[in-house]
Structures are given as structure tokens and as C-alpha cells.
């Protein structure tokens, strides 16, 4: 079981009359995560994730992996360092690489600290024994750090120089089967974002430095977003303004004038690449006539640390974090009476009973016991609310009645069996989200508006 007294979360305490000099614009998520001791700045543009934030990230990783496996993904790990020679072969070394970190080894050989791994994974397949068409499609993914020397590193984990990413690379025999892979992985992306229950927008996007013939981005709509998106409320069409005429007055899909501009935080990107990388790097397969043909590729990225920060940015208040249910570090926080208070003796047995019953319902790892009894209930409750625990249960002066605080709702005074039922309902809702057996609000919205063309 998790005990609050043992948790490492160095909260920033600002003296009441202190004048705080703000040197940079902070996003809501950055401010809360830093103040609450969930992340710390390592250097300009890099962040240390502390235990509570790491729990949320681990849950995000697990959820992404489940969806990648459903999409036929196989997990690999590629080196962070990619020889620049590979990028030279594909022509990308001559492009705008001002944001990429370069390092040299002692012999003078130059490497990229990879911002992405198209060249590396394609070169790996090119150096493998001939692949038969029978082995395709191949869908390989990894989860690891990526690096960008951001000119304007800001908003915490949303625009950092080092970030955690899931990137998948698909290999097919033709454009038509590559489109099937694209559809399968895109469906996994849509399922993942629907499971988080945070409204998102899927938009047509430019292929940019990655190249290829088709590209979509997934955005959370937020005032701190760096992309300008155009949305149609009639048919659900959405596009990034960088691929649209800035004078566009009507929807490219249904010709409606019900268009609005919003700001978006890009959290995922998909590309149909064709043979842009496989041809110059010699990545082939043997067709059914035994002859070599170039592999047709796709690539698919999700910024995991960015997903967490952007979801919190969208959902949180100025004072309290609000987690997607599946990413909340803990399901339940239990707070008992203060040491030496008049209600301590009469509530201790109930508190112990609750610990046992809650562990049985949600699992001991999902339960946080705030047993810092030297602090008042009010102080611990304020901490718990700011951390955004989905369910907070207080065993206090009104025992045997319990106080239940559900994130974002008014507190309730309930009997023990009713509290346990509420916890059970929360656990069941999470299980249904994981299994995809309930229609989420986001899926309903997508169905009503129609999918992006």
C-alpha cells in the first residue's frame, strides 16, 4: 500500500507575502506539476519526473502498448544515436536540421541524437536477410526518449528538449496494403485517445520534413497550442491551417460556412511514407516471384509526456489537477482523523476496515493512504484535491458516515456500503474503458460528426 508520508513530492512553498517574479509564461499544467512536486526542471527545456508523475506516465505507456499490440505491433528498441550518414542517404541531412542535436565520437564520426528513427529502422531492415512478402505487413514500435534543440522551450512537458515518445514504423508490399496498415494503426490511435476521455481533434496535416503522401495530426484544443486549426461543426472536417488556404471561407468537405479557428497542441502524428526511405536505403522484400521490391512504409508517433501535460492543461483548474481516469496516479486517497483529536479513537477501526476493503476493490497499488496524522484533515484534503485524486474518502468527525470527494464534484456524506459501491463503479468504468466495451463521449462525438476525410 502507498503511504503519503513515504512519497517523494517536494511541494514548492511560497511565503504568504512573497513577491514572485515571473520570468517566463507558464502553462497551467506546468505550474501545477511543478508547484505540487510532480516534476522538476533539470535544465532549460528538460524535466525530471518524480514518483507521482512517473506513475501516470507508466500507465500511459501501458495503455499505448496495449493498443499497439491490438494493431499488430511488435516492440523493439533502437539506439538513440543515429549515424548522420543514413540521413545523408535519404536527403534529410540537407534539410532544416537546426533543431537537432549532433554529437561526434572520439574518431570524429558524427551522430544525430535521434528526433525520429525512420532512417535507423529502415537501415536495420535493409541489413537483414531478405524478407519474404509472407512476413509482411511488419509493424515495429518502440518507446524511448527523443531530442529537439527547441528554440523556444516552454510550457513544461508540452515543449521540451527531451521527451518520451512512442514511434511505430510499418512495412508493406504495396501502397494499398500500406493504407490498410495506416487505417489499422489510426484506429488504435483513435481508441487510445477515446479511452482518455479528453476531447481531441484529428486533422489533415502537412507531411513536412517526414515526406510521404498522407498525414494526420491529433490535437488537444488549448489556448497554449502552437497550431491553428480549422473546424467544421457541420460535417466534422478538421484541418491544420498550414495545409489550407488562409482565406478559406467554406469547408473543403461539405462547403458549409460553419468554420471556426482554434488553437491545438499536437500530441500525435501519422504519415504514409511510401518508399521515401526504403529506396535510398535499399530496404526490400522478395515478392511472390522471388524478385526484390522496395518496402512501402508508414510511421506513427505519440508524444507520451506531451499527452499527459496537454490532457492536464485541458482538464485542470487553476488550483487543481484533473487526470484522465486511466492515467490518474492513484484511484483513491484515504484520509483519517488527526493524531490526538477527539474523533481519532472512534474512527481508527473504521479507517483500518476501509483500508482493507478498498485494497480488495481497487488493488493496494491504486490506494494512497494519507496517514500524515500530524496534519489536520483540512490540510491533507487540500493536498489531495490539488493532486486531483479521482476519489478522496475522509474518515472524520461525522463517522460512521464518510465524506466522499469525487474530482470536480460536490462532496457527499455517505454510509460505508454506498462509498464502497462508488469506488466499485469507478473501477468498473476503468475496466470498461480498457476493454472498449463502453462508448466514450469522444467516440459518440466522432460518430455524430463523422470522421475526418
Amino acid at each position: 500500500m502507498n503511504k503519503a508520508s513515504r512519497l517523494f513530492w517536494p511541494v514548492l512553498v511560497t511565503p504568504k507575502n512573497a513577491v514572485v517574479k515571473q520570468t517566463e509564461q507558464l502553462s497551467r499544467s506546468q505550474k501545477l506539476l511543478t508547484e505540487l512536486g510532480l516534476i522538476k526542471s533539470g535544465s532549460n527545456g528538460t524535466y525530471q519526473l518524480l514518483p507521482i508523475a512517473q506513475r501516470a506516465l507508466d500507465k500511459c505507456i501501458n495503455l499505448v502498448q496495449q493498443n499497439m499490440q491490438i494493431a499488430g505491433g511488435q516492440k523493439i528498441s533502437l539506439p538513440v544515436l543515429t549515424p548522420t550518414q543514413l540521413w545523408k542517404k535519404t536527403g534529410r541531412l540537407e534539410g532544416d536540421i537546426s533543431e537537432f542535436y549532433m554529437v561526434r565520437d572520439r574518431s570524429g564520426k558524427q551522430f544525430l541524437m535521434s528526433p525520429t528513427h525512420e532512417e535507423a529502422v529502415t537501415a536495420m531492415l535493409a541489413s537483414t536477410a531478405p524478407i519474404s512478402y509472407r512476413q509482411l505487413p511488419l509493424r515495429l514500435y518502440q518507446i524511448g526518449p527523443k531530442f529537439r534543440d527547441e528554440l523556444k522551450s516552454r510550457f513544461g512537458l508540452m515543449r521540451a528538449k527531451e521527451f518520451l515518445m512512442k514511434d511505430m514504423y510499418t512495412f508493406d508490399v504495396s501502397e494499398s496494403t500500406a493504407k490498410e496498415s495506416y487505417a489499422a494503426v489510426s484506429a488504435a490511435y483513435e481508441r487510445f485517445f477515446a479511452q482518455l476521455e479528453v476531447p481531441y481533434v484529428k486533422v489533415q496535416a502537412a507531411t513536412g520534413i517526414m515526406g510521404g503522401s498522407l498525414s494526420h495530426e491529433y490535437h488537444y484544443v488549448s489556448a497554449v497550442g502552437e497550431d491553428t486549426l480549422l473546424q467544421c461543426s457541420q460535417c466534422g472536417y478538421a484541418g491544420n491551417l498550414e495545409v489550407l488556404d488562409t482565406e478559406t471561407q467554406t469547408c473543403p468537405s461539405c462547403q458549409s460556412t460553419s468554420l471556426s479557428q482554434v488553437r491545438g497542441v499536437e500530441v500525435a502524428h501519422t504519415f504514409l511514407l511510401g518508399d521515401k526511405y526504403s529506396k535510398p536505403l535499399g530496404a526490400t522484400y522478395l515478392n511472390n516471384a522471388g524478385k526484390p521490391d522496395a518496402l512501402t512504409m508508414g510511421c506513427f508517433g505519440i508524444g507520451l509526456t506531451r499527452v499527459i501535460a496537454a490532457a492536464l492543461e485541458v482538464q485542470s483548474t487553476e488550483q487543481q489537477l484533473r487526470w484522465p481516469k486511466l492515467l490518474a496516479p492513484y484511484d483513491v486517497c484515504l484520509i483519517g482523523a488527526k493524531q490526538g483529536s477527539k474523533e481519532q479513537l472512534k474512527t481508527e477501526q473504521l479507517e483500518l476496515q476501509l483500508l482493507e476493503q478498498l485494497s480488495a476493490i481497487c488493488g493496494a497499488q491504486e490506494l494512497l493512504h494519507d496517514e500524515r496524522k500530524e496534519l489536520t484533515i483540512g490540510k491533507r484534503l487540500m493536498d489531495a484535491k490539488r493532486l486531483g485524486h479521482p476519489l478522496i474518502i475522509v474518515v472524520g468527525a461525522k463517522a460512521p458516515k464518510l465524506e466522499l470527494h469525487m474530482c470536480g464534484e460536490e462532496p457527499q456524506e455517505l454510509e460505508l456500503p454506498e462509498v464502497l459501491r462508488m469506488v466499485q463503479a469507478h473501477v468498473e468504468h476503468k475496466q470498461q474503458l480498457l476493454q472498449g466495451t463502453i462508448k466514450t463521449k469522444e467516440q459518440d462525438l466522432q460518430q455524430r460528426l463523422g470522421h475526418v476525410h
Side-chain angles (χ1 to χ4, degrees), residues 57-314:
L57 180 59
D58 288 343
K59 290 183 177 187
C60 189
I61 290 169
N62 289 337
L63 188 59
V64 165
Q65 290 195 147
Q66 288 170 23
N67 281 296
M68 290 303 95
Q69 285 156 14
I70 290 170
Q74 300 179 62
K75 192 175 183 184
I76 60 171
S77 289
L78 297 167
V80 165
L81 299 178
T82 299
T84 53
Q85 193 61 29
L86 293 178
W87 279 57
K88 193 171 183 180
K89 284 184 179 179
T90 61
R92 286 212 289 181
L93 204 62
E94 282 68 54
D96 182 9
I97 57 170
S98 57
E99 288 188 343
F100 301 161
Y101 287 101
M102 300 277 198
V103 296
R104 292 182 186 273
D105 66 13
R106 65 187 68 194
S107 68
K109 190 174 181 181
Q110 198 172 42
F111 296 84
L112 278 160
M113 291 181 69
S114 298
T116 183
H117 276 85
E118 284 75 20
E119 281 84 356
V121 73
T122 309
M124 180 184 77
L125 287 192
S127 65
T128 304
I131 296 166
S132 166
Y133 69 93
R134 292 188 181 90
Q135 293 173 266
L136 302 174
L138 201 54
R139 298 167 187 168
L140 306 175
Y141 78 96
Q142 63 171 351
I143 292 174
K146 296 287 188 288
F147 302 87
R148 278 181 178 272
D149 186 9
E150 293 284 359
L151 185 63
K152 288 185 178 178
S153 174
R154 56 181 180 165
F155 301 145
L157 298 177
M158 278 193 286
R159 180 60 73 183
K161 293 185 176 182
E162 180 179 344
F163 50 95
L164 194 72
M165 189 171 169
K166 186 286 306 175
D167 43 323
M168 174 180 267
Y169 305 92
T170 60
F171 300 88
D172 281 271
V173 300
S174 67
E175 185 82 6
S176 62
T177 58
K179 284 180 178 176
E180 290 172 12
S181 286
Y182 191 89
V185 183
S186 295
Y189 272 37
E190 288 171 25
R191 184 168 51 246
F192 166 71
F193 284 110
Q195 286 171 323
L196 297 185
E197 299 184 294
V198 180
Y200 72 94
V201 183
K202 179 182 177 183
V203 304
Q204 289 184 321
T207 54
I209 191 175
M210 304 293 284
S213 59
L214 182 63
S215 175
H216 290 94
E217 294 168 341
Y218 296 75
H219 286 262
Y220 284 145
V221 175
S222 168
V224 300
E226 296 181 331
D227 289 86
T228 304
L229 314 176
L230 204 62
Q231 273 185 298
C232 174
S233 59
Q234 290 296 309
C235 72
Y237 172 88
N240 193 319
L241 267 192
E242 66 180 7
V243 299
L244 298 170
D245 183 346
T246 53
E247 303 301 314
T248 299
Q249 300 293 321
T250 59
C251 173
S253 177
C254 72
Q255 282 68 58
S256 161
T257 56
S258 303
L259 295 175
S260 59
Q261 285 189 19
V262 294
R263 303 293 291 173
V265 178
E266 182 194 330
V267 287
H269 209 148
T270 59
F271 298 87
L272 193 59
L273 298 172
D275 58 12
K276 174 181 168 67
Y277 299 92
S278 54
K279 267 196 172 172
L281 292 170
T284 60
Y285 73 97
L286 296 180
N287 61 27
N288 56 7
K291 303 290 185 186
D293 274 336
L295 288 159
T296 304
M297 292 176 59
C299 71
F300 308 82
I302 297 178
L304 301 181
T305 41
R306 189 183 283 194
V307 162
I308 290 171
L312 290 172
E313 188 70 28
V314 170

Side-chain angles (χ1 to χ4, degrees), residues 353-393:
Q353 180 188 347
L354 256 173
L355 285 171
E356 196 172 309
Q357 291 173 311
L358 291 170
S359 293
I361 294 171
C362 66
Q365 277 305 305
E366 293 300 329
L367 174 61
L368 177 65
H369 184 204
D370 195 338
E371 60 358 325
R372 299 174 297 163
K373 292 182 179 285
E374 72 280 6
L375 301 176
T376 64
I377 285 178
K379 164 62 179 157
R380 285 177 285 159
L381 181 58
M382 184 175 72
D383 284 347
K385 283 185 167 183
R386 293 201 76 203
L387 285 168
H389 303 303
L391 300 165
I392 304 166
I393 301 167

Side-chain angles (χ1 to χ4, degrees), residues 35-49:
E35 286 181 356
L36 292 168
L38 274 63
I39 65 171
K40 281 178 71 68
S41 175
S43 61
N44 179 31
T46 67
Y47 290 89
Q48 301 152 351
L49 269 67

